Amino acid sequence: MALTAETIRRLEDAKLTTFFANNRGLYLDKAKKACEYASNYVKGSGEKLRVDDVAAPLVLALRVGDPLIDCLAGKKLTQKYWFEMFADYVLDQVWEELQK
């Protein structure tokens, strides 16, 4: 799913952009691992790796044992879409680094 201006505004309003900035190293590492995982499956197809290919494994990583869980709970943001929106934001912020 593409990151939109509306999504960024929602993340900013929830202070999740600040949460990312304060934990950038952690999320860069998780994005790298998700990228490696997705790349293993995509490279055999002859297609190039795209952001959405990496988003799915990153969302799974965010939903299982990640500090984002407690952050969202503390803000009473219980909807599942926050994980997808945050994953899209993380990948938007680190995609150029992942391509190196």
Side-chain angles (χ1 to χ4, degrees), residues 34-71:
C35 189
E36 290 170 12
Y37 177 83
S39 178
N40 286 330
Y41 292 98
V42 173
K43 67 182 174 186
S45 71
E47 293 290 327
K48 70 176 186 173
L49 186 67
R50 293 173 172 82
V51 173
D52 284 351
D53 296 321
V54 179
L58 180 57
V59 168
L60 178 59
L62 297 176
R63 288 184 175 163
V64 181
D66 190 86
L68 180 62
I69 297 167
D70 293 333
C71 178

Side-chain angles (χ1 to χ4, degrees), residues 5-100:
E6 177 188 2
T7 301
I8 292 173
R9 289 297 305 263
R10 293 184 78 188
L11 291 166
E12 288 172 345
D13 290 346
K15 306 290 188 236
L16 292 176
T17 55
T18 303
F19 176 77
F20 168 78
N22 292 337
N23 296 282
R24 190 176 198 290
L26 171 68
Y27 292 108
L28 175 58
D29 184 57
K30 286 184 181 249
K32 284 180 181 177
K33 290 176 182 171
C35 189
E36 290 170 12
Y37 177 83
S39 178
N40 286 330
Y41 292 98
V42 173
K43 67 182 174 186
S45 71
E47 293 290 327
K48 70 176 186 173
L49 186 67
R50 293 173 172 82
V51 173
D52 284 351
D53 296 321
V54 179
L58 180 57
V59 168
L60 178 59
L62 297 176
R63 288 184 175 163
V64 181
D66 190 86
L68 180 62
I69 297 167
D70 293 333
C71 178
L72 293 173
K75 296 174 183 293
K76 300 187 186 323
L77 302 174
T78 59
Q79 300 87 352
K80 292 182 179 182
Y81 59 76
W82 288 104
F83 292 98
E84 286 88 4
M85 290 191 313
F86 189 75
D88 288 341
Y89 181 76
V90 168
L91 292 172
D92 181 74
Q93 297 299 302
V94 304
W95 189 250
E96 286 186 25
E97 290 174 69
L98 295 177
Q99 297 303 294
K100 293 179 183 176

